[in-house]
Amino acid sequence: MSGGKLRVLALVHRHLVPPDPLPEGIDPVSEPWRTEYDVISTLKGLGHEVLTLGVHDDLGELRRANFEWKPQIAFNLLEGFDDVTIFDQNVVSHLELLKLAYTGCNPRGLLLSRDKSLSKKLLAYHRIPVPEFEVYRVGRPVRRPKRLAFPLIVKPLTQEASVGISQASVVDTDEKFIERVNFVHQSIGTAAIAEQYIEGRELYVGILGNQALQSFPVWELFFTNMPADARRIATDRVKWSVKYQEKYGIESGPAKDLPDAVCEKIQHTCKRAYRALELSGYARIDLRLDNDGRIWVLEANPNPQIARGEDFAASAEKAGLSYDALLQRILNLGLRWSPENLA
C-alpha cells in the first residue's frame, strides 16, 4: 500500500489554503501558505490524488470529506483547532476515531511534548538533561525558589514557534522575573514556565520514524552579527522577521566544528527524548550545547515546519533524503502507524 498512489486528504488551516492554480507572478516562498503549497504540490507531483480541506472549528466537514471521498490517509498540517494550539491533539484523536490514517505525531505524543513542564519531567525521569524549571499558573503567586538561579528564561507553557519570546524573556533580577511572568499571563493568556537559561550553542535535530528512528545531521542557528550583549536565543523576530535575520546575520545550517563523537551523542540523546515523549512520524528536538560541552534538551517539536528548504527538510536533504522522498516517507510512516502501537 505504501508504494502506490494514494488518495490524500490534506488538512490545512482555513486561512492557509493555497491558491490552485498558482496565480502568475506569485512566489510561494514569501507567502504564509508556503508550507501548504510545498506539501500539496509535491504530493500531486508524486502522483497522489490530493483533496485540500481548510479546517477551522468544524469537525463535521472533516467527517463528510472522509465519508464522501474515502481518503486513504490525511496529511495533517494543522497546528491547532479553533485558534487553540493544544487542540491539535484532539483533531488527531478524531482521525483515529474515524479510523483514518494520518501523518505526523500521535495524540499522546502531542500532549506530552506540548506541555513544556510535563515533557521536562518525563525527560528528567529518563535521565535526559533538562534545565531546572518552575511553572507559574495564571492567578497564582509568583515566587522564585532558591534552586532557580539567574539568569532565567521565561516562556509561555504551551505555545510554539517562539510566541512570546524576546530578548526581554531572559531575566536576571527578581523584579524582571515577576514582570515577565505577568507579561506572559496577560499578553499570551497562558501559564508561564521559567527555566534556567543555558548559555551556549542553539542546536536542532530532525527525527523521522515510529519505532525505528532516523536522525538527521545536527543543525545550528547562527547569530553572526548579534550585538555582544544580546542573548543568542530563537526569539519571535529571529524566527519570523526576514529584516531582523538579515540585519544580524541570523541563519541556520549544519553545525560547524562539532566532532563526530559529539554529533553522535547529540543524535542519540535526541532519539532517547523522542522515545521518552512517545512521539511518532517526525519531530525536531531543540537543544543547547553549553560552554562546557554538556547537552541540554530544551523541548521537542512534533510536526515541525516542513516547507521545502527550511531546517527540517534541509537537514533531511543533507542526510540524502530529497524533499519528494521525505514527504513519501512521512506518508508511509502514517500508513504504518496504529494507535495500538502505544498500548
Side-chain angles (χ1 to χ4, degrees):
M1 187 178 185
S2 61
K5 304 309 175 196
L6 300 166
R7 293 163 70 82
V8 182
L9 181 64
L11 300 179
V12 308
H13 289 288
R14 194 168 60 196
H15 64 286
L16 294 175
V17 175
D20 184 24
L22 193 66
E24 263 188 63
I26 295 287
D27 180 9
V29 171
S30 55
E31 297 294 336
W33 36 261
R34 170 192 178 186
T35 301
E36 290 73 13
Y37 173 80
D38 285 349
V39 169
I40 292 163
S41 60
T42 301
L43 292 177
K44 287 179 177 176
L46 286 165
H48 300 301
E49 192 179 349
V50 182
L51 175 66
T52 303
L53 182 65
V55 178
H56 180 59
D57 61 357
D58 183 5
L59 285 174
E61 297 171 357
L62 175 52
R63 287 195 297 274
R64 281 190 294 278
N66 182 52
F67 178 74
E68 292 168 9
W69 199 62
K70 295 184 172 47
Q72 289 159 291
I73 187 167
F75 203 110
N76 181 26
L77 290 170
L78 298 174
E79 295 180 341
F81 181 80
D82 196 16
D83 297 325
V84 181
T85 307
I86 57 173
F87 282 179
D88 60 352
Q89 69 210 34
N90 303 44
V91 177
V92 178
S93 296
H94 191 72
L95 294 174
E96 292 189 346
L97 294 179
L98 293 173
K99 295 185 168 56
L100 175 57
Y102 57 87
T103 63
C105 192
N106 67 82
R108 195 187 308 189
L110 288 170
L111 170 72
L112 295 178
S113 56
R114 193 74 80 227
D115 184 323
K116 297 181 178 78
S117 161
L118 195 51
S119 62
K120 281 181 170 57
K121 287 172 185 172
L122 270 169
L123 294 172
Y125 173 81
H126 287 280
R127 294 184 170 81
I128 296 167
V130 295
E132 282 279 358
F133 71 94
E134 190 69 37
V135 173
Y136 296 90
R137 307 280 173 189
V138 177
R140 301 292 298 276
V142 181
R143 296 194 187 92
R144 179 180 62 87
K146 285 190 169 60
R147 62 183 171 76
L148 272 190
F150 292 119
L152 300 172
I153 182 166
V154 181
K155 303 186 276 194
L157 182 62
T158 54
Q159 293 289 333
E160 281 201 320
S162 293
V163 169
I165 299 179
S166 69
Q167 286 288 321
S169 299
V170 181
V171 296
D172 48 21
T173 67
D174 278 311
E175 187 183 7
K176 286 182 181 175
F177 160 68
I178 293 167
E179 191 181 293
R180 195 66 195 179
V181 170
N182 288 331
F183 168 83
V184 170
H185 288 170
Q186 291 157 17
S187 299
I188 313 298
T190 70
I193 182 168
E195 65 184 47
Q196 173 193 1
Y197 173 69
I198 308 292
E199 191 70 63
R201 298 168 68 171
E202 179 93 0
L203 304 176
Y204 309 123
V205 175
I207 306 278
L208 187 64
N210 294 335
Q211 274 84 31
L213 305 181
Q214 177 181 3
S215 60
F216 297 147
V218 181
W219 229 240
E220 183 166 5
L221 187 60
F222 300 105
F223 301 85
T224 315
N225 302 322
M226 284 289 272
D229 59 343
R231 303 288 186 176
R232 269 66 174 159
I233 56 173
T235 62
D236 192 41
R237 286 203 291 179
V238 162
K239 280 203 174 173
W240 304 114
S241 168
V242 174
K243 279 185 182 174
Y244 191 83
Q245 291 164 1
E246 288 171 352
K247 180 178 179 182
Y248 293 112
I250 295 162
E251 56 185 4
S252 60
K256 295 174 182 172
D257 306 320
L258 272 188
D260 289 348
V262 175
C263 287
E264 285 169 19
K265 188 178 179 186
I266 289 170
Q267 290 168 319
H268 177 65
T269 301
C270 290
K271 285 181 178 179
R272 288 179 60 216
Y274 191 97
R275 290 196 171 100
L277 297 174
E278 303 191 19
L279 303 177
S280 59
Y282 61 104
R284 188 191 75 238
I285 312 295
D286 298 356
L287 315 99
R288 283 250 155 177
L289 183 65
D290 73 16
N291 300 328
D292 295 322
R294 287 175 299 192
I295 299 162
W296 300 85
V297 173
L298 300 184
E299 58 190 63
N301 289 285
N303 303 353
Q305 228 274 39
I306 50 165
R308 187 187 293 273
E310 285 293 330
D311 288 348
F312 192 85
S315 62
E317 192 147 340
K318 182 82 175 166
L321 210 55
S322 70
Y323 192 65
D324 288 24
L326 173 65
L327 294 194
Q328 186 61 54
R329 281 279 297 281
I330 288 172
L331 279 176
N332 295 351
L333 287 165
L335 290 168
R336 288 200 293 268
W337 173 258
S338 162
E340 285 81 21
N341 290 7
L342 280 176

